[in-house]
Amino acid sequence: MFPIRDHNPSGRTPYVVYALILLNVGIFLSYQPIMGDNFRLAQFFQDWALLPGEVTEGRKLHGLLTSMFLHGGWMHLLGNMLFLWIFGDNLEDEMGHFGFLIFYLLSGLGADFAQIAADPDSQIPMVGASGAIAGVMGGYLLLFPKAKVDILLILIIIFRIFTIPAWVMLGLWFALQVFNGVAVDTAGGGVAHWAHVGGFVVGAVLAIPAWLKRGGTSYWQLTHGHPPHPEAKYKLSQSSVPRVRRKRR
């Protein structure tokens, strides 16, 4: 079960989302020639991935940033880029291009430190944009809890698309990350669940200013948690509640 699109058009071209997708894909393609060489690939990840044990000792701090743009395979890359494509444009619309970029990077750093806290001595390389993208999902949940999201459910040979509120999809995803983080031994490698949890929480916290600017709970009351209809933006901007005023861009 995974999302394929949302029913929440953005009001501006998401240039930063496009740039992040191109950058992630470009970097992944740059080390494709060594993907079949386990020794060279392991050395590459040792040099550029996040190594919690090294960061704890004050070494290879660049991995906190560079690890966000590395992926272990095509499915890892495409899955992350799909989530960024679906949820990122609306956050960029709300925060502006530069604000969204800072938000994305800080969410990724929050994810890094959450994984380091979970296993500070680990020497297993951590790669992937999913921590930063989890932050995007956390921010999306705060701002658009009832935006409709289409989910593709695959049951052996049965393919069905369901439309559900964002809070259901994102809430279930977050709960699954917490459950797996508790249940799975971090020393065994695999998915960095605590990075997902940390990124999601940091993203939700960082989105609070944008949420308050829109009116906080007043915004939810006016829209019932749905993204405003384009024709409703003028009405919201003229509302007697000043905290829900939205500037034209």
Side-chain angles (χ1 to χ4, degrees), residues 26-232:
I27 291 175
F28 181 74
L29 291 175
S30 74
Y31 60 88
Q32 274 296 293
I34 65 171
M35 287 295 286
D37 187 329
N38 291 335
F39 177 80
R40 292 179 64 194
L41 184 63
Q43 185 59 55
F44 176 79
F45 283 154
Q46 284 288 324
D47 291 339
W48 298 106
L50 173 64
L51 300 171
E54 295 294 313
V55 173
T56 301
E57 297 295 327
R59 299 187 295 269
K60 296 188 177 181
L61 300 182
H62 62 273
L64 291 165
L65 180 63
T66 56
S67 63
M68 299 182 205
F69 299 94
L70 304 177
H71 291 84
W74 278 108
M75 292 305 296
H76 187 202
L77 172 70
L78 295 177
N80 278 342
M81 295 305 99
L82 175 64
F83 275 70
L84 178 58
W85 173 265
I86 292 173
F87 299 111
D89 62 329
N90 299 108
L91 270 291
E92 185 172 344
D93 189 23
E94 294 300 320
M95 298 176 179
H97 304 305
F98 181 72
F100 175 73
L101 177 60
I102 298 302
F103 167 87
Y104 181 90
L105 295 175
L106 290 178
S107 294
L109 290 174
D112 289 344
F113 284 113
Q115 190 63 32
I116 291 171
D119 194 1
D121 299 321
S122 175
Q123 291 294 329
I124 300 175
M126 188 179 84
V127 298
S130 54
I133 296 169
V136 173
M137 295 163 67
Y140 192 100
L141 176 62
L142 182 65
L143 290 169
F144 308 109
K146 292 187 179 180
K148 299 301 182 182
V149 179
D150 288 344
I151 302 295
L152 176 62
L153 179 64
I154 303 175
L155 297 174
I156 307 177
I157 61 173
I158 300 174
F159 296 79
R160 292 290 301 275
I161 295 176
F162 297 90
T163 301
I164 61 176
W167 72 267
V168 175
M169 181 262 155
L170 296 174
L172 287 174
W173 183 89
F174 180 72
L176 183 62
Q177 304 311 307
V178 174
F179 174 81
N180 286 332
V182 173
V184 177
D185 183 6
T186 57
V191 178
H193 296 292
W194 288 117
H196 296 169
V197 173
F200 192 97
V201 172
V202 170
V205 171
L206 291 175
I208 289 176
W211 178 64
L212 292 175
K213 183 180 179 181
R214 298 296 297 275
T217 55
S218 298
Y219 171 66
W220 279 350
Q221 291 167 5
L222 285 171
T223 66
H224 303 290
H226 293 279
H229 188 278
E231 295 178 357

